[in-house]
DNA sequence: CTGAAAGCGCTAACAC
DNA sequence: GTGTTAGCGCTTTCAG
């Protein structure tokens, strides 16, 4: 067994023990350059005996790359969407020999800027970011001038030329409206989580992230196609916190002509509706119908199951990594806007008013 | 504005522009040593003009620390417990100026070993790991000889002298049994997720992680205290995948004297029960009762809400970071076994058989 | 095929 | 209070 040195053995220790030069030892370990097979053996043996492990920091310094990518999750990744995306990214990166440095910024633009700076300072080879509101993005622009490859996921940022991997939420939401309409629904509620400082309101906030824009447009397009008038629609924008979402749900439900089906723009809003419905003894898929964006384990397991617009989160993450590494390996790829299809998964949370029109919740 | 250099400016560029030496520039930026206030100004200005950002890799190399900690999440962190823990750790680390390098190993011991090696190679200053089965842990021992601070979370590993931060699942499960008993339940099912290669079985697998051990012992202790005999208990061990959990649930439910309440050892198992119950039109909290370990947003939002043994996940993560950084800052701290209390949150998923004994599900 | 030496960007001794 | 210099551990020319 090797003598335990106080600090970890370096390539010099390996070289000495093998009786070769540092350069040779390095070549043997790295398996490059011209080198005799016998020497490789020798060095390998010495390294094994010493328990040598290359210092990746030194290597990164020398080679100018860290084999690390930075992930900036802007939203709270306790959200069922972001944790799956994170896992997909971590797994895909690992499969390609990259590690992931992760940051969470809770939709705070200042934190986002700082997180990006930190990651760039740490010399990550590239960044995957879920950008916050599309208004200010000079920090994203600054990544670009820093020359770091950048891939945006989940949300587009106009004005930034970078590859983005998003989902077709327009079609997804449109399909949701279509589905509810086919089930006989004529009064639609739409509960939309959007950042800001307005609490909750039926007024559309000025700044919206691209996913929300897409969902709104998809909803409107669906309604237009099916002849669903504005008075048949109830909108509610809402900050993503329990207090406001509860109140927003209440407002939606307490109207004179309450909607028979409510679309929620994310899981938190769906949960808010579920909670209030439960408190009021409103049965989902009967007294009130629900469709939400993003599938989850609980949406599938509940009784009735929640009808969802499922987004291909795993591929989204995997493709983001693939595109990022492509750019890292060969800078100068042209920016792509990749849009992945969504899928409507019909479960039991939308009442069938065609077969059972008596379920139409006229008053509550 | 500064002339755009091809590569990022270094401290040398800053020094030149400020007309001082590298060392002075470094001191000014780092704010250490004796240095004139006027010089600091000068250097700061030059740095700002150049858009200088310190190269953290070079700094890490020189200082021998990366201000990065490695997080090895062994289980799938899509699990509601691990994503919250991850967020807590990332946030706590960030607050202390540390970044987090994350790895996910899906309960695979080989992957865990490799992940740890990679992180150590990357020179993380310390590691937080959720260890897999307690059988083999030479890789953990190897962290220790490498001298890297190590904190274990969620699960203990006997044999390893390291600080661990876990929760009091013994008391939690015991409280769950007590609660169900107080509600009039006399037939208890216990559905336990545990890794292995046995599918599902009522036989206890040989190797169990400490959390599972604790939950089993807590369950047994509660039963013993309350005089609940073995024949009133139905056990089912189960690999954590949908196929086996569905079958395990079915077996639990299809017995001649089926349990009136089922304890599930984690969220995945709870979801499996929910799904099967839904399919069979069994109302939760009425036809069948449920208590699970780990709170989640959906458990609270569902109707009825799911009664849970809540674990303080956020503090668990925060304390783990705190202990790890303490050891990093001052090596040689003595290992602690920190056990955080759990809390039973009673919601509506446990039928009250005392008030409404007619709800006792005698046969289905 | 192998060795010598330079240097990635930074900071910490040590001079002055 | 500031400059000079060495060197963290590694890889990569450049010689030989």
């Amino acid at each position: 067994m090797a003598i335990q040195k106080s600090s970890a053995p370096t390539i010099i220790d390996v070289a000495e023990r093998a009786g070769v030069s540092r350069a040779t030892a390095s070549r043997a370990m790295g398996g490059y350059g011209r080198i005799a097979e016998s020497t490789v053996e020798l060095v390998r043996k010495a390294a094994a005996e010493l328990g040598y492990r290359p210092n990746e920091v030194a290597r990164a310094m020398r080679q100018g790359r860290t084999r690390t990518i930075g992930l900036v999750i802007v939203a709270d990744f306790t959200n069922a969407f972001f944790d799956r995306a994170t896992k997909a990214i971590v797994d895909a990166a690992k499969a390609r020999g990259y590690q992931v440095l992760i940051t969470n910024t809770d939709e705070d633009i200042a934190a986002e800027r700082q997180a990006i700076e930190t990651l760039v300072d740490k010399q990550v080879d590239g960044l995957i970011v879920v950008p916050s509101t599309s208004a200010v993005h000079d920090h994203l622009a600054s990544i670009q001038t820093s020359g770091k490859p950048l891939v945006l996921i989940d949300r587009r940022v106009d004005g930034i030329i970078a590859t983005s991997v998003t989902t077709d939420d327009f079609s997804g939401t449109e399909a949701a409206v279509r589905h509810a309409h086919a089930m006989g629904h004529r009064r639609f509620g739409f509960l939309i989580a959007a950042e800001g400082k307005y609490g909750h309101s039926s007024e559309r906030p000025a700044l919206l992230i691209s996913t929300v824009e897409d969902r709104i447009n998809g909803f409107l397009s669906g309604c237009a196609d099916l002849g669903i008038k504005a008075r048949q629609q109830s909108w509610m924008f809402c900050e993503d916190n329990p207090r406001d979402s509860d109140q927003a749900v209440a407002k939606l439900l307490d109207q004179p002509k309450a909607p028979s089906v409510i679309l929620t723009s994310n899981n938190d809003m769906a949960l808010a509706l579920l909670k209030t419905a439960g408190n009021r003894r409103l049965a989902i898929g009967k007294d009130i119908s629900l469709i939400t964006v993003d599938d989850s384990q609980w949406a599938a397991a509940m009784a009735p199951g929640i009808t969802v617009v499922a987004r291909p989160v795993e591929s989204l993450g995997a493709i983001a990594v693939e595109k990022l590494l492509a750019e890292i390996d060969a800078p100068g790829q042209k920016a792509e806007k990749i849009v992945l299809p969504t899928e409507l998964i019909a479960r039991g949370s939308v009442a069938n008013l065609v077969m059972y029109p008596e379920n139409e919740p006229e008053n509550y």
Side-chain angles (χ1 to χ4, degrees), chain A:
Chain A
M1 282 286 95
I3 298 97
Q4 194 67 31
K5 278 195 53 176
S6 57
S7 60
T10 73
I11 192 84
I12 300 186
D13 299 319
V14 175
E16 268 174 12
R17 180 174 254 264
V20 297
S21 71
R22 279 182 285 188
T24 304
S26 182
R27 275 188 279 252
M29 296 307 293
Y32 70 97
R34 265 184 290 279
I35 186 161
E37 192 50 49
S38 58
T39 317
V40 173
E41 285 296 304
L42 204 64
V43 173
R44 285 241 178 87
K45 188 157 156 289
E49 284 165 358
L50 291 170
Y52 169 76
R53 304 247 76 216
N55 179 327
E56 291 295 336
V57 170
R59 193 177 234 185
M61 163 105 126
R62 183 67 239 245
Q63 305 193 134
R65 63 184 162 68
T66 52
R67 291 207 173 276
T68 303
I69 65 181
L71 173 60
V72 182
I73 295 283
V74 152
D76 179 344
F77 62 52
T78 292
N79 183 307
F81 171 79
F82 292 112
D83 66 346
R84 285 170 61 202
T86 302
K87 177 164 158 53
I89 289 167
V90 170
D91 287 350
K94 190 172 72 166
R96 296 280 306 264
Y98 278 74
Q99 303 306 121
V100 178
L101 216 34
I102 190 176
T103 340
N104 176 249
T105 63
D106 290 316
E107 300 277 3
D108 174 348
I109 187 106
E112 180 177 350
R113 169 176 291 109
Q114 212 239 303
I116 288 174
E117 266 183 359
T118 307
L119 293 176
V120 172
D121 291 353
K122 289 228 177 212
Q123 311 296 119
V124 294
D125 295 340
L127 288 150
I128 295 179
V129 0
V130 185
S132 53
T133 47
S134 46
V136 194
H137 40 249
D138 53 333
H139 54 302
L140 289 182
S142 84
I143 295 180
Q144 308 234 280
T145 56
S146 88
K148 291 279 179 219
L150 167 67
V151 169
L152 267 23
I153 56 169
D154 185 47
R155 305 166 181 184
R156 297 183 311 275
V157 172
D158 303 327
I160 291 287
I161 299 165
T163 290
S164 63
V165 190
T166 56
T167 51
D168 187 0
D169 291 11
F170 179 94
S171 303
T173 316
E174 204 178 43
V177 170
R178 213 177 289 281
H179 174 71
H181 187 267
M183 296 288 269
H185 292 266
R186 294 298 177 266
R187 296 199 310 280
F188 290 73
F190 197 8
L191 177 56
I192 305 149
E195 289 305 303
K197 301 234 181 303
Y198 56 93
H200 59 280
S201 154
S202 56
E203 294 302 311
R204 173 174 178 157
L207 276 180
L208 292 171
I209 56 178
S210 68
T211 41
V212 172
E213 289 277 2
D214 293 350
R215 290 167 201 179
I216 290 175
N217 292 334
F219 184 89
L220 287 172
S221 164
C223 286
D225 283 2
L226 299 163
I228 301 164
K229 305 274 179 270
R231 62 181 157 71
Q232 295 171 273
Q233 307 168 16
S234 318
W235 296 66
M236 192 56 71
F237 293 88
C238 178
E239 289 182 44
D240 200 333
N241 65 57
R243 193 170 44 81
D244 283 309
S245 56
D246 284 355
Q247 291 180 30
V249 169
K251 286 197 180 166
L252 239 23
L253 258 24
D254 290 337
Q255 300 169 91
K257 278 275 191 181
S260 60
V261 59
I262 294 180
L263 251 77
T264 54
S265 76
N266 72 8
N267 274 324
D268 290 337
M269 297 301 115
L271 254 5
L273 175 60
L274 249 31
K275 200 170 82 186
T276 300
N279 288 342
R280 299 187 176 197
R281 304 261 179 282
L282 258 31
I284 297 294
K286 202 167 162 221
D287 304 319
I288 182 75
S289 294
L290 167 65
I291 304 180
T292 190
V293 176
D294 279 334
D295 198 9
S296 62
Q297 289 187 293
W298 56 262
M302 281 186 60
I306 308 297
T307 295
V308 299
V309 176
R311 299 195 290 156
V313 190
E314 279 72 25
S315 5
L316 190 141
I319 291 173
V321 168
E322 189 190 310
K323 290 298 169 191
L324 185 67
L325 295 190
E327 172 71 19
I328 289 172
D329 291 343
Q333 307 275 326
K334 74 165 184 294
E336 295 175 75
K337 299 233 171 284
I338 298 168
V339 178
L340 271 23
T342 55
E343 182 194 2
L344 184 82
I345 302 180
R347 294 198 266 244
S349 65
V350 178
N352 189 334
L353 303 180
V354 178
M355 282 180 69
Y356 308 100
E358 68 276 18
N359 273 353
E360 168 101 34
E362 210 52 62
N363 7 271
Y364 48 78

